[in-house]
PDB file of all heavy atoms in Angstrom:
ATOM      1  N   ALA A   1       0.823  -1.209  -0.002  1.00 98.00           N
ATOM      2  CA  ALA A   1      -0.004  -0.001   0.000  1.00 98.00           C
ATOM      3  C   ALA A   1       0.846   1.254   0.000  1.00 98.00           C
ATOM      4  O   ALA A   1       1.998   1.267   0.445  1.00 98.00           O
ATOM      5  CB  ALA A   1      -0.904   0.002   1.229  1.00 98.00           C
ATOM      6  N   HIS A   2       0.244   2.360  -0.445  1.00 98.00           N
ATOM      7  CA  HIS A   2       0.885   3.657  -0.255  1.00 98.00           C
ATOM      8  C   HIS A   2       0.978   3.911   1.249  1.00 98.00           C
ATOM      9  O   HIS A   2       2.031   4.304   1.737  1.00 98.00           O
ATOM     10  CB  HIS A   2       0.088   4.750  -0.969  1.00 98.00           C
ATOM     11  CG  HIS A   2       0.729   6.087  -0.905  1.00 98.00           C
ATOM     12  ND1 HIS A   2       1.961   6.340  -1.447  1.00 98.00           N
ATOM     13  CD2 HIS A   2       0.303   7.258  -0.365  1.00 98.00           C
ATOM     14  CE1 HIS A   2       2.297   7.618  -1.249  1.00 98.00           C
ATOM     15  NE2 HIS A   2       1.285   8.188  -0.597  1.00 98.00           N
ATOM     16  N   GLY A   3      -0.126   3.728   1.966  1.00 98.00           N
ATOM     17  CA  GLY A   3      -0.164   3.665   3.413  1.00 98.00           C
ATOM     18  C   GLY A   3       0.814   4.535   4.169  1.00 98.00           C
ATOM     19  O   GLY A   3       1.704   4.024   4.841  1.00 98.00           O
ATOM     20  N   THR A   4       0.636   5.850   4.137  1.00 98.00           N
ATOM     21  CA  THR A   4       1.615   6.751   4.727  1.00 98.00           C
ATOM     22  C   THR A   4       1.430   6.988   6.211  1.00 98.00           C
ATOM     23  O   THR A   4       2.277   7.601   6.847  1.00 98.00           O
ATOM     24  CB  THR A   4       1.594   8.122   4.026  1.00 98.00           C
ATOM     25  OG1 THR A   4       0.291   8.687   4.182  1.00 98.00           O
ATOM     26  CG2 THR A   4       1.956   7.993   2.572  1.00 98.00           C
ATOM     27  N   SER A   5       0.306   6.570   6.774  1.00 98.00           N
ATOM     28  CA  SER A   5      -0.029   6.789   8.189  1.00 98.00           C
ATOM     29  C   SER A   5      -0.718   8.125   8.434  1.00 98.00           C
ATOM     30  O   SER A   5      -0.705   8.648   9.532  1.00 98.00           O
ATOM     31  CB  SER A   5       1.217   6.666   9.081  1.00 98.00           C
ATOM     32  OG  SER A   5       0.905   6.691  10.444  1.00 98.00           O
ATOM     33  N   THR A   6      -1.346   8.672   7.387  1.00 98.00           N
ATOM     34  CA  THR A   6      -2.181   9.864   7.579  1.00 98.00           C
ATOM     35  C   THR A   6      -3.620   9.425   7.777  1.00 98.00           C
ATOM     36  O   THR A   6      -4.062   8.430   7.192  1.00 98.00           O
ATOM     37  CB  THR A   6      -2.100  10.826   6.385  1.00 98.00           C
ATOM     38  OG1 THR A   6      -2.556  10.154   5.212  1.00 98.00           O
ATOM     39  CG2 THR A   6      -0.681  11.304   6.169  1.00 98.00           C
ATOM     40  N   PRO A   7      -4.373  10.124   8.616  1.00 97.00           N
ATOM     41  CA  PRO A   7      -5.752   9.709   8.885  1.00 97.00           C
ATOM     42  C   PRO A   7      -6.608   9.577   7.634  1.00 97.00           C
ATOM     43  O   PRO A   7      -7.275   8.572   7.424  1.00 97.00           O
ATOM     44  CB  PRO A   7      -6.275  10.816   9.821  1.00 97.00           C
ATOM     45  CG  PRO A   7      -5.054  11.289  10.546  1.00 97.00           C
ATOM     46  CD  PRO A   7      -3.962  11.245   9.515  1.00 97.00           C
ATOM     47  N   LEU A   8      -6.573  10.594   6.761  1.00 97.00           N
ATOM     48  CA  LEU A   8      -7.425  10.570   5.585  1.00 97.00           C
ATOM     49  C   LEU A   8      -6.874   9.661   4.492  1.00 97.00           C
ATOM     50  O   LEU A   8      -7.620   8.913   3.851  1.00 97.00           O
ATOM     51  CB  LEU A   8      -7.606  11.990   5.041  1.00 97.00           C
ATOM     52  CG  LEU A   8      -8.562  12.159   3.843  1.00 97.00           C
ATOM     53  CD1 LEU A   8      -9.943  11.623   4.170  1.00 97.00           C
ATOM     54  CD2 LEU A   8      -8.641  13.623   3.429  1.00 97.00           C
ATOM     55  N   GLY A   9      -5.577   9.692   4.279  1.00 98.00           N
ATOM     56  CA  GLY A   9      -4.985   8.930   3.192  1.00 98.00           C
ATOM     57  C   GLY A   9      -5.160   7.439   3.344  1.00 98.00           C
ATOM     58  O   GLY A   9      -5.526   6.735   2.391  1.00 98.00           O
ATOM     59  N   ASP A  10      -4.906   6.910   4.541  1.00 98.00           N
ATOM     60  CA  ASP A  10      -5.038   5.472   4.744  1.00 98.00           C
ATOM     61  C   ASP A  10      -6.492   5.014   4.606  1.00 98.00           C
ATOM     62  O   ASP A  10      -6.768   3.936   4.086  1.00 98.00           O
ATOM     63  CB  ASP A  10      -4.525   5.090   6.140  1.00 98.00           C
ATOM     64  CG  ASP A  10      -3.006   5.204   6.257  1.00 98.00           C
ATOM     65  OD1 ASP A  10      -2.371   5.669   5.296  1.00 98.00           O
ATOM     66  OD2 ASP A  10      -2.473   4.829   7.310  1.00 98.00           O
ATOM     67  N   MET A  11      -7.413   5.851   5.071  1.00 98.00           N
ATOM     68  CA  MET A  11      -8.830   5.506   4.940  1.00 98.00           C
ATOM     69  C   MET A  11      -9.247   5.498   3.477  1.00 98.00           C
ATOM     70  O   MET A  11      -9.960   4.585   3.020  1.00 98.00           O
ATOM     71  CB  MET A  11      -9.685   6.489   5.725  1.00 98.00           C
ATOM     72  CG  MET A  11     -11.175   6.160   5.702  1.00 98.00           C
ATOM     73  SD  MET A  11     -12.153   7.330   6.655  1.00 98.00           S
ATOM     74  CE  MET A  11     -11.963   8.828   5.674  1.00 98.00           C
ATOM     75  N   ALA A  12      -8.816   6.509   2.700  1.00 98.00           N
ATOM     76  CA  ALA A  12      -9.183   6.585   1.297  1.00 98.00           C
ATOM     77  C   ALA A  12      -8.623   5.395   0.523  1.00 98.00           C
ATOM     78  O   ALA A  12      -9.301   4.815  -0.340  1.00 98.00           O
ATOM     79  CB  ALA A  12      -8.689   7.884   0.694  1.00 98.00           C
ATOM     80  N   GLU A  13      -7.373   5.004   0.822  1.00 98.00           N
ATOM     81  CA  GLU A  13      -6.796   3.869   0.123  1.00 98.00           C
ATOM     82  C   GLU A  13      -7.515   2.568   0.483  1.00 98.00           C
ATOM     83  O   GLU A  13      -7.739   1.703  -0.387  1.00 98.00           O
ATOM     84  CB  GLU A  13      -5.306   3.744   0.424  1.00 98.00           C
ATOM     85  CG  GLU A  13      -4.624   2.694  -0.424  1.00 98.00           C
ATOM     86  CD  GLU A  13      -3.108   2.673  -0.271  1.00 98.00           C
ATOM     87  OE1 GLU A  13      -2.576   3.366   0.621  1.00 98.00           O
ATOM     88  OE2 GLU A  13      -2.462   1.944  -1.054  1.00 98.00           O
ATOM     89  N   THR A  14      -7.908   2.442   1.743  1.00 98.00           N
ATOM     90  CA  THR A  14      -8.697   1.260   2.140  1.00 98.00           C
ATOM     91  C   THR A  14     -10.001   1.197   1.357  1.00 98.00           C
ATOM     92  O   THR A  14     -10.392   0.127   0.867  1.00 98.00           O
ATOM     93  CB  THR A  14      -8.977   1.301   3.651  1.00 98.00           C
ATOM     94  OG1 THR A  14      -7.748   1.217   4.376  1.00 98.00           O
ATOM     95  CG2 THR A  14      -9.875   0.145   4.065  1.00 98.00           C
ATOM     96  N   GLN A  15     -10.672   2.344   1.216  1.00 98.00           N
ATOM     97  CA  GLN A  15     -11.909   2.378   0.444  1.00 98.00           C
ATOM     98  C   GLN A  15     -11.662   1.971  -1.004  1.00 98.00           C
ATOM     99  O   GLN A  15     -12.467   1.265  -1.617  1.00 98.00           O
ATOM    100  CB  GLN A  15     -12.528   3.787   0.511  1.00 98.00           C
ATOM    101  CG  GLN A  15     -13.006   4.189   1.891  1.00 98.00           C
ATOM    102  CD  GLN A  15     -14.032   3.236   2.464  1.00 98.00           C
ATOM    103  OE1 GLN A  15     -14.996   2.849   1.812  1.00 98.00           O
ATOM    104  NE2 GLN A  15     -13.819   2.829   3.717  1.00 98.00           N
ATOM    105  N   ALA A  16     -10.540   2.434  -1.563  1.00 98.00           N
ATOM    106  CA  ALA A  16     -10.220   2.113  -2.955  1.00 98.00           C
ATOM    107  C   ALA A  16      -9.986   0.614  -3.123  1.00 98.00           C
ATOM    108  O   ALA A  16     -10.481  -0.006  -4.086  1.00 98.00           O
ATOM    109  CB  ALA A  16      -8.991   2.902  -3.390  1.00 98.00           C
ATOM    110  N   VAL A  17      -9.210   0.025  -2.198  1.00 98.00           N
ATOM    111  CA  VAL A  17      -8.943  -1.413  -2.275  1.00 98.00           C
ATOM    112  C   VAL A  17     -10.240  -2.214  -2.158  1.00 98.00           C
ATOM    113  O   VAL A  17     -10.465  -3.171  -2.907  1.00 98.00           O
ATOM    114  CB  VAL A  17      -7.925  -1.829  -1.190  1.00 98.00           C
ATOM    115  CG1 VAL A  17      -7.820  -3.350  -1.111  1.00 98.00           C
ATOM    116  CG2 VAL A  17      -6.548  -1.211  -1.488  1.00 98.00           C
ATOM    117  N   LYS A  18     -11.112  -1.810  -1.247  1.00 98.00           N
ATOM    118  CA  LYS A  18     -12.382  -2.517  -1.085  1.00 98.00           C
ATOM    119  C   LYS A  18     -13.260  -2.397  -2.314  1.00 98.00           C
ATOM    120  O   LYS A  18     -13.968  -3.334  -2.698  1.00 98.00           O
ATOM    121  CB  LYS A  18     -13.103  -2.004   0.157  1.00 98.00           C
ATOM    122  CG  LYS A  18     -12.407  -2.415   1.457  1.00 98.00           C
ATOM    123  CD  LYS A  18     -12.899  -1.650   2.671  1.00 98.00           C
ATOM    124  CE  LYS A  18     -14.293  -2.010   3.070  1.00 98.00           C
ATOM    125  NZ  LYS A  18     -14.684  -1.378   4.347  1.00 98.00           N
ATOM    126  N   ALA A  19     -13.207  -1.234  -2.979  1.00 98.00           N
ATOM    127  CA  ALA A  19     -14.000  -1.045  -4.192  1.00 98.00           C
ATOM    128  C   ALA A  19     -13.548  -1.978  -5.312  1.00 98.00           C
ATOM    129  O   ALA A  19     -14.358  -2.427  -6.120  1.00 98.00           O
ATOM    130  CB  ALA A  19     -13.907   0.412  -4.661  1.00 98.00           C
ATOM    131  N   VAL A  20     -12.245  -2.265  -5.344  1.00 98.00           N
ATOM    132  CA  VAL A  20     -11.706  -3.120  -6.402  1.00 98.00           C
ATOM    133  C   VAL A  20     -11.720  -4.590  -6.023  1.00 98.00           C
ATOM    134  O   VAL A  20     -12.051  -5.460  -6.839  1.00 98.00           O
ATOM    135  CB  VAL A  20     -10.265  -2.682  -6.754  1.00 98.00           C
ATOM    136  CG1 VAL A  20      -9.644  -3.623  -7.789  1.00 98.00           C
ATOM    137  CG2 VAL A  20     -10.246  -1.252  -7.267  1.00 98.00           C
ATOM    138  N   PHE A  21     -11.382  -4.902  -4.761  1.00 98.00           N
ATOM    139  CA  PHE A  21     -11.173  -6.283  -4.344  1.00 98.00           C
ATOM    140  C   PHE A  21     -12.240  -6.816  -3.407  1.00 98.00           C
ATOM    141  O   PHE A  21     -12.273  -8.016  -3.118  1.00 98.00           O
ATOM    142  CB  PHE A  21      -9.815  -6.413  -3.655  1.00 98.00           C
ATOM    143  CG  PHE A  21      -8.639  -6.180  -4.567  1.00 98.00           C
ATOM    144  CD1 PHE A  21      -8.109  -4.904  -4.699  1.00 98.00           C
ATOM    145  CD2 PHE A  21      -8.073  -7.222  -5.282  1.00 98.00           C
ATOM    146  CE1 PHE A  21      -7.011  -4.676  -5.521  1.00 98.00           C
ATOM    147  CE2 PHE A  21      -6.985  -7.005  -6.116  1.00 98.00           C
ATOM    148  CZ  PHE A  21      -6.456  -5.720  -6.237  1.00 98.00           C
ATOM    149  N   GLY A  22     -13.073  -5.949  -2.842  1.00 94.00           N
ATOM    150  CA  GLY A  22     -14.065  -6.383  -1.888  1.00 94.00           C
ATOM    151  C   GLY A  22     -13.576  -6.241  -0.469  1.00 94.00           C
ATOM    152  O   GLY A  22     -12.557  -5.600  -0.196  1.00 94.00           O
ATOM    153  N   GLY A  23     -14.273  -6.829   0.484  1.00 88.00           N
ATOM    154  CA  GLY A  23     -13.946  -6.701   1.898  1.00 88.00           C
ATOM    155  C   GLY A  23     -12.852  -7.657   2.325  1.00 88.00           C
ATOM    156  O   GLY A  23     -12.155  -8.258   1.496  1.00 88.00           O
ATOM    157  N   ILE A  24     -12.721  -7.840   3.633  1.00 88.00           N
ATOM    158  CA  ILE A  24     -11.609  -8.618   4.167  1.00 88.00           C
ATOM    159  C   ILE A  24     -11.663 -10.072   3.722  1.00 88.00           C
ATOM    160  O   ILE A  24     -10.630 -10.754   3.651  1.00 88.00           O
ATOM    161  CB  ILE A  24     -11.601  -8.517   5.707  1.00 88.00           C
ATOM    162  CG1 ILE A  24     -10.281  -9.043   6.265  1.00 88.00           C
ATOM    163  CG2 ILE A  24     -12.789  -9.249   6.323  1.00 88.00           C
ATOM    164  CD1 ILE A  24     -10.050  -8.706   7.716  1.00 88.00           C
ATOM    165  N   ALA A  25     -12.830 -10.561   3.371  1.00 93.00           N
ATOM    166  CA  ALA A  25     -12.936 -11.957   2.944  1.00 93.00           C
ATOM    167  C   ALA A  25     -12.377 -12.195   1.552  1.00 93.00           C
ATOM    168  O   ALA A  25     -11.963 -13.316   1.217  1.00 93.00           O
ATOM    169  CB  ALA A  25     -14.392 -12.408   3.007  1.00 93.00           C
ATOM    170  N   THR A  26     -12.351 -11.169   0.726  1.00 96.00           N
ATOM    171  CA  THR A  26     -11.917 -11.353  -0.674  1.00 96.00           C
ATOM    172  C   THR A  26     -10.692 -10.536  -1.050  1.00 96.00           C
ATOM    173  O   THR A  26     -10.040 -10.841  -2.037  1.00 96.00           O
ATOM    174  CB  THR A  26     -13.072 -10.988  -1.629  1.00 96.00           C
ATOM    175  OG1 THR A  26     -13.536  -9.664  -1.325  1.00 96.00           O
ATOM    176  CG2 THR A  26     -14.231 -11.970  -1.493  1.00 96.00           C
ATOM    177  N   ALA A  27     -10.378  -9.487  -0.314  1.00 98.00           N
ATOM    178  CA  ALA A  27      -9.206  -8.663  -0.638  1.00 98.00           C
ATOM    179  C   ALA A  27      -7.934  -9.389  -0.241  1.00 98.00           C
ATOM    180  O   ALA A  27      -7.904 -10.118   0.763  1.00 98.00           O
ATOM    181  CB  ALA A  27      -9.291  -7.323   0.074  1.00 98.00           C
ATOM    182  N   PRO A  28      -6.855  -9.221  -0.972  1.00 98.00           N
ATOM    183  CA  PRO A  28      -5.589  -9.866  -0.608  1.00 98.00           C
ATOM    184  C   PRO A  28      -4.984  -9.179   0.606  1.00 98.00           C
ATOM    185  O   PRO A  28      -5.377  -8.072   0.978  1.00 98.00           O
ATOM    186  CB  PRO A  28      -4.720  -9.655  -1.844  1.00 98.00           C
ATOM    187  CG  PRO A  28      -5.246  -8.387  -2.448  1.00 98.00           C
ATOM    188  CD  PRO A  28      -6.733  -8.409  -2.209  1.00 98.00           C
ATOM    189  N   PRO A  29      -3.999  -9.812   1.256  1.00 98.00           N
ATOM    190  CA  PRO A  29      -3.269  -9.132   2.333  1.00 98.00           C
ATOM    191  C   PRO A  29      -2.656  -7.843   1.795  1.00 98.00           C
ATOM    192  O   PRO A  29      -2.180  -7.792   0.655  1.00 98.00           O
ATOM    193  CB  PRO A  29      -2.194 -10.148   2.729  1.00 98.00           C
ATOM    194  CG  PRO A  29      -2.718 -11.469   2.247  1.00 98.00           C
ATOM    195  CD  PRO A  29      -3.508 -11.175   1.015  1.00 98.00           C
ATOM    196  N   ILE A  30      -2.636  -6.810   2.616  1.00 98.00           N
ATOM    197  CA  ILE A  30      -2.124  -5.501   2.207  1.00 98.00           C
ATOM    198  C   ILE A  30      -1.256  -4.966   3.352  1.00 98.00           C
ATOM    199  O   ILE A  30      -1.663  -4.997   4.508  1.00 98.00           O
ATOM    200  CB  ILE A  30      -3.293  -4.542   1.883  1.00 98.00           C
ATOM    201  CG1 ILE A  30      -2.803  -3.097   1.653  1.00 98.00           C
ATOM    202  CG2 ILE A  30      -4.365  -4.564   2.933  1.00 98.00           C
ATOM    203  CD1 ILE A  30      -3.908  -2.166   1.159  1.00 98.00           C
TER     204      ILE A  30
END
């Protein structure tokens, strides 16, 4: 992940990954 440890950035990237890969049951480890 880009995952910089900013409150907004990490949340937005999580939303993006879920939109593409789904939730924790289907998304790959990140």
Side-chain angles (χ1 to χ4, degrees):
H2 185 60
T4 60
S5 187
T6 60
L8 184 57
D10 289 5
M11 183 179 67
E13 187 173 9
T14 296
Q15 294 302 312
V17 170
K18 290 166 70 173
V20 176
F21 294 91
I24 193 167
T26 54
I30 172 173

